Structure formats: structure tokens, C-alpha cells
Amino acid sequence: MANQTESEQYAFNAFANLPFYGSINSEFIELANIYDKKSIVDLGCGTGNITKLILQKLQIAKDSVIYAVDSSKSALVTAAQEVENNSIVKFIHSEVQNLTDAVKEKADAMIYCNSIHYVPDKDKLLSEIRNKLNTNGVLAFNSSFYEGSHPEESLDFYKKWMFRSFRLLKKDHDLKPDKSAKVSSREQLTPEDYIVLLEKIGYKVEYIKAKSYQVPIDGFHYISEFKDWIEGVLPGVPLEIGKSTLQKALKEIFNEMKLATVPRNWLSVRAVKV
Ligand SMILES: C[S@@+](CC[C@H](N)C(=O)[O-])C[C@H]1O[C@@H](n2cnc3c(N)ncnc32)[C@H](O)[C@@H]1O
């Protein structure tokens, strides 16, 4: 639509509303076990699906508060519309790297879902998060962008999907991705790297676990209309062309490989400030 911004038009919420994604995060929030906490920060809250999960289970007290932080204004607008019963939620427009300024008080828990891969300097960020946690405060994060998130049996699919996308891009639009436009910040760590880093900074890692989930074609279809994904896999390509090309290639490859789903690993971590 003409009067939508790019971030609104190529948004995350269609993907975020898929049932398979909901169950992954629901399981993760269960594991994070933060329901008795009074002040919780939802870092990189996006369109509010995690905020909603936290709210559903939180034992709400008079002074409970959830700070939902995101750098995308349009995601926050959607989140504010989607999160019902949001009187205890404070939406904050900020980069997570500016946490010290963005959230004034210390929190009992920080939830950081599916976003840690955006931040290049994880050491600095995890230290800043620790500074903003009360003693015994919990940091829980999950990610499917870490070193080890692609099971061996999924590699052929990604290779074929990307190769077909590049071919269609050339054939239909005479375009190719511009490697110089590649987003540089998507650095991925191994689970062991995370343990070493967290312990060095002053957390006790209580739980770190990778689990494989089956991603349906809808997952890849809708992630292909998310700005950040398109820019990550087809840098420099206009978003509308990137989206339609990825979706067309996806359909062809799923059919040719006779796939029903593709496995992907999610890492879940619960660490406590010591
Ligand atoms: C993949 S979405 C995840 C949304 C939600 N946490 C979830 O798990 O469904 C990533 C979100 O992180 C936000 N984001 C990316 N980099 C950020 C940064 N440096 N500071 C704050 N938010 C950021 C994006 O705007 C987007 O809304």
C-alpha cells in the first residue's frame, strides 16, 4: 500500500502469528520461568507476540511492569494494538544497545527472543543487560541464528532455495544481490561460545539447550516478506522483488524436493546474574 512504510509493509507479524512459531516461543517462555518476577524487559519485542506470552502467564501484582523495547517504530505501533490488557506494558522505542538510557530502573528479568543475532558486540550488550538486572535477575534468550542452527539434513534445501532465488532474480529481473550491501552484524556464536561469554561476564548458565523444530513451508514463505530477512539473504535487492522471488523459488524447491517441512534448531538459554 502506498502510504505504508517499508517496515510496515515488510513486517514480521505474519510470520510471528504462525502456530509453529507460537509453540516454540511458548515453550521457551515456560522454560524461562519468570512468572513471579515483578519487572520484566522484553528486548526486541517486535510486534508483541512474546509480550503477549509473558502477560498470559505472569502473576500480575500491583507494581508489575513489562518494558517492551524495539528499534522499529512500526513494530511497536503494531505491538501496542495487538497486546490487550496492556496497562502494565510500557513500550520503548530504542536500540537494545541503549538499554541503560532506555530503561531507568533495574529489572528482575530480561527476555530476549529471536533477536540476539542482530547485535554485533554481544559481550558489551550482555554486560549492559547484567548491569540492568537486579541480583539473581534472569536473562533468558532464544535464537535460531547461532552456529549450529542448521541441521545437516536441511543444508541441501537452503542451498537449492538460494541458488534458485539467484537464478530467478537474474532471469525475471536481471538483478543479482549486492554483496557489498550485506548486513554485517549477523554474527553467530556456538552454544559453547555463549557459555564462555556469559560466565566471563558474571552470569551462571542454568540452562542451555538446542532443540530441533520442523518448519513448514508457511514459515519460509512468511519470513520471506520480512524486511530484515530479505535484506539478509538478498542484500541490495528491492524488497518487493526479493519477497516475490524468494517465495516463488521456495514453492518450486519444496515441490521438487517433495518436502513437507524443514528442520531448524532453536537454542534456549536461561542465565542468572551472580
Ligand atoms: C525477528 S524479530 C523478533 C521479535 C520477537 N522478539 C519474537 O521473538 O518474535 C526481531 C526484532 O528485533 C528488532 N531489533 C533488531 N535490532 C534491534 C536493536 N538493535 N535494538 C532493538 N530492537 C532491534 C527488530 O526491529 C525486530 O522487531
Side-chain angles (χ1 to χ4, degrees):
M1 269 184 273
N3 57 355
Q4 276 186 315
T5 64
E6 272 193 345
S7 303
E8 286 164 343
Q9 199 177 347
Y10 301 97
F12 186 63
N13 50 329
F15 177 82
N17 289 331
L18 291 172
F20 94 94
Y21 187 68
S23 13
I24 291 170
N25 290 315
S26 178
E27 216 174 282
F28 166 73
I29 293 294
E30 200 69 51
L31 172 85
N33 190 14
I34 37 92
Y35 303 130
D36 58 344
K37 306 292 181 201
K38 292 269 164 38
S39 61
I40 298 173
V41 182
D42 179 3
L43 292 166
C45 66
T47 48
N49 54 312
I50 305 298
T51 323
K52 281 193 272 187
L53 286 173
I54 298 171
L55 264 174
Q56 274 166 20
K57 300 269 173 73
L58 195 67
Q59 294 157 15
I60 295 178
K62 257 210 327 262
D63 49 350
S64 295
V65 59
I66 300 175
Y67 298 98
V69 181
D70 203 283
S71 58
S72 161
K73 263 191 188 160
S74 64
L76 287 171
V77 169
T78 308
Q81 287 160 354
E82 295 227 341
V83 178
E84 291 167 13
N85 182 23
N86 67 5
S87 57
I88 67 162
V89 183
K90 297 190 191 326
F91 294 98
I92 298 175
H93 180 225
S94 171
E95 296 262 322
V96 292
Q97 294 92 323
N98 296 334
L99 194 59
T100 308
D101 294 332
V103 180
K104 300 292 175 216
E105 304 95 60
K106 288 194 175 188
D108 298 327
M110 304 257 180
I111 297 294
Y112 196 11
C113 282
N114 303 295
S115 312
I116 199 163
H117 58 283
Y118 281 93
V119 178
D121 193 344
K122 294 180 179 53
D123 194 331
K124 188 156 179 270
L125 177 70
L126 292 170
S127 303
E128 196 167 346
I129 290 176
R130 186 182 178 279
N131 289 339
K132 277 286 169 182
L133 280 170
N134 288 319
T135 309
N136 296 323
V138 171
L139 162 67
F141 63 89
N142 70 350
S143 178
S144 68
F145 289 85
Y146 68 96
E147 193 58 49
S149 54
H150 294 83
E152 189 67 33
E153 61 273 31
S154 68
L155 297 181
D156 200 27
F157 158 71
Y158 286 109
K159 210 167 83 191
K160 288 189 163 128
W161 183 24
M162 289 306 127
F163 190 73
R164 182 67 53 90
S165 298
F166 297 159
R167 218 168 74 189
L168 290 175
L169 206 52
K170 179 79 189 135
K171 182 165 104 23
D172 297 346
H173 305 281
D174 198 23
L175 279 175
K176 57 180 186 182
D178 173 6
K179 286 203 183 109
S180 70
K182 185 132 183 85
V183 197
S184 61
S185 66
R186 312 280 156 91
E187 193 205 345
Q188 303 190 3
L189 304 188
T190 64
E192 293 70 30
D193 293 335
Y194 274 118
I195 295 175
V196 170
L197 189 59
L198 285 161
E199 289 181 348
K200 183 193 90 178
I201 293 170
Y203 293 94
K204 177 171 180 271
V205 178
E206 289 198 338
Y207 188 101
I208 180 158
K209 188 178 174 199
K211 183 170 169 186
S212 176
Y213 293 89
Q214 293 298 326
V215 180
I217 187 166
D218 279 359
F220 298 105
H221 178 87
Y222 286 111
I223 205 66
S224 298
E225 60 183 47
F226 180 38
K227 185 171 177 285
D228 297 359
W229 174 266
I230 304 169
E231 289 173 346
V233 293
L234 298 181
V237 172
L239 294 176
E240 189 54 37
I241 293 178
K243 168 187 160 180
S244 59
T245 303
L246 286 167
Q247 291 179 339
K248 185 173 169 188
L250 172 71
K251 210 169 158 193
E252 291 181 8
I253 298 301
F254 250 69
N255 282 339
E256 286 167 26
M257 294 180 75
K258 299 189 179 16
L259 295 170
T261 56
V262 173
R264 190 169 177 116
N265 297 332
W266 258 259
L267 187 71
S268 298
V269 180
R270 186 185 200 270
V272 173
K273 173 176 175 171
V274 286

